Amino acid sequence: GGSRGRARVDLRMRLLGLAAVMGLCSFALVARAFYIQVLDRDFYVAQGQARSLRELPIPTSRGMVTDRNGEPLAVSTPVESVWGNPQELLKAPDRLPKLAEALGVPLDVLTRKLAQKSTKEFVYLKRRINPDEAKSILALGIPGVASQREYRRFYPQGEAMAHVLGFTNVDDEGQEGLELAFDDWLRGKPGAKRVLRDGRGHIIENVDLVRPAEPGRDLTLTIDRRIQFLAYRELRNAMMAHGAASGSIVVLDVATGEVLAMANLPTFNPNAVGTTDRDAHRNRAITDVLEPGSTMKPITVAAALTKGVVTPNTVFDLSPGSLKLGRYTIRDTHNYGVQTVTGIITKSSNIGATKISERLDNQYFYDFIHKFGYGSKPGSGFPGESAGVLPAPSRWQGSSKATISYGYGLSATPLQIAVAYAAIANGGVLTTPTFVKGEHGQRKQVLEPRVAHEVMKMMQTVTETGGTATQGAILGYHVAGKTGTARMFDGHGGYSRRYIAYFAGVVPVDNPRFATVVVINDPDAAKGGYYGGVVSAPVFRSVMDGSLRLMDVPPDDIDTWLAAQDRATHGGAPQAARVAAAEPVDDDGADPVPLEASPVTP
């Protein structure tokens, strides 16, 4: 009986021991569970969420850019970007050939890309594609492939507006032009959301919104799309006809300083930026400096009228068509004999401008030109604006004042010349140019209204019979303007046999609305001359003729218009033929440049 008792005690001890062990195990499990779920909960929740919770950006669209009438010039359209998780994709190599085919890339390129990013969880497979195309790629059901919404910039006006707008990069950030200048305004703030993902990376649940997306704000420009297109088309036609290298045109609203149009050639397609030469990206009208040539003469005359040293009828003897100034000789294209100050503008006499400037003090003349904006930035807010160069009187040499009086020895951009002409047209008030509608530029009186009016009347003779720009005349309107033909600098301290053809003009004279500058570089002399009056004035005429009609500007020269109607009814020559038949156009003493007056490099 003793052995049975001993066995019972053994069993009991064994059961107790087992119970104790199991109790300890249970206690350890409970303690561990308590530790994990209560004491160290945050750590494990964070670990779990790190594997399944993700913060994803919510893309937002860039603001739209429109012209002054609300026509879209730059729009962000929604696109999809397909991305993949390399870690997932490399686990399913058998699916890669199908994926490569859908993406339109060679299999080895895709495999190499994934191998390079094998430690990462994200790689773009194809960016900014049509949402339908993205859908068909996702429909293959390949593990680790997903898509996200992005935006792509589209420019409906293409090449015609390229320089003003600039363009954005692959992330829709402004790179050049107004897209860059107003990037902060146009660019939205992306939002963020938290999502739960399963093991394959698919979103199972949107957990919460961290930050809502703020779309970018729209921007309304001063540009009129119709005038812009007209300006671009006419500039292109003239450049092709004259075999020119490059060109610019600027149209300003005289009263407000608003830029209504600005076009340059060569240009580029902002919808496919990578395909063009970088040189074509420059907005030449704002960044490139040129010697303004004879477009300077009305400012020289204004300086003399303001000082009271001449009147519009003061007479000068310009014989024999050349003038010795120290070691240099200044020449006109003809011997213009005796002319009034008005005649000096009509015929564009270099000798006349020189003789007028001789009556002015150096410092006064410099200050007067500087007041018109030469030598300082126009302040339009456009990136890369150039100030040009106006040398101080202390740097002038023997013939400097003479050459500056007819536009050599200083440099300016087409925009600066346009701003100066708008000031003459606006009763002597210079207005800071602007590209943004509703933004009012600073205004300052730089010329007495009386003098401004006198200069306008002189410039009107330029487009009338006997002037250098009869091809700038517009039927039914009085046009004030000035031709210019500057010799191009040859890069070796002298001037070449290549030219810049200018026309700067204002219309209508009696109630000025538009100030326009046309610059055409290096026209081929064999293709119909190189003078401003022949090459650039017709561009001005075509663009202004269309603009006056588009803006319903009433004619200020009814008499000429009625006379033309009358002739047309009675079988006479119409206006266009009459203008063309006016005496041959010659111009601006383009040729003679004192060698010493080499252009200043900026």
Side-chain angles (χ1 to χ4, degrees), residues 269-277 281:
N269 177 1
N271 296 306
V273 174
T275 57
T276 41
D277 174 19
H281 290 183

Side-chain angles (χ1 to χ4, degrees), residues 25-46:
C25 286
S26 301
F27 178 75
L29 285 169
V30 169
R32 180 76 180 138
F34 177 78
Y35 179 74
I36 288 173
Q37 289 176 26
V38 180
L39 298 180
D40 207 16
R41 178 174 182 273
D42 293 350
F43 172 77
Y44 287 99
V45 166

Side-chain angles (χ1 to χ4, degrees), residues 1-13:
S3 64
R4 189 180 294 163
R6 210 163 38 249
R8 197 179 283 127
V9 172
D10 267 4
L11 185 63
R12 195 129 150 240
M13 291 302 287

Side-chain angles (χ1 to χ4, degrees), residues 23 78 93 105 132 187 198 215 224 301 305 307 320 372 382 392 455 460 600:
V105 297
D132 292 346
R187 202 200 299 195
D198 65 11
D224 186 303
V301 167
L305 291 167
K307 198 73 175 155
F372 272 85
F382 197 93
V455 175
Q460 190 181 318
V600 272

Side-chain angles (χ1 to χ4, degrees), residues 60 74 448 506 514 547 585:
T60 182
E448 294 167 37
V506 173
F514 308 119
S547 303
V585 178

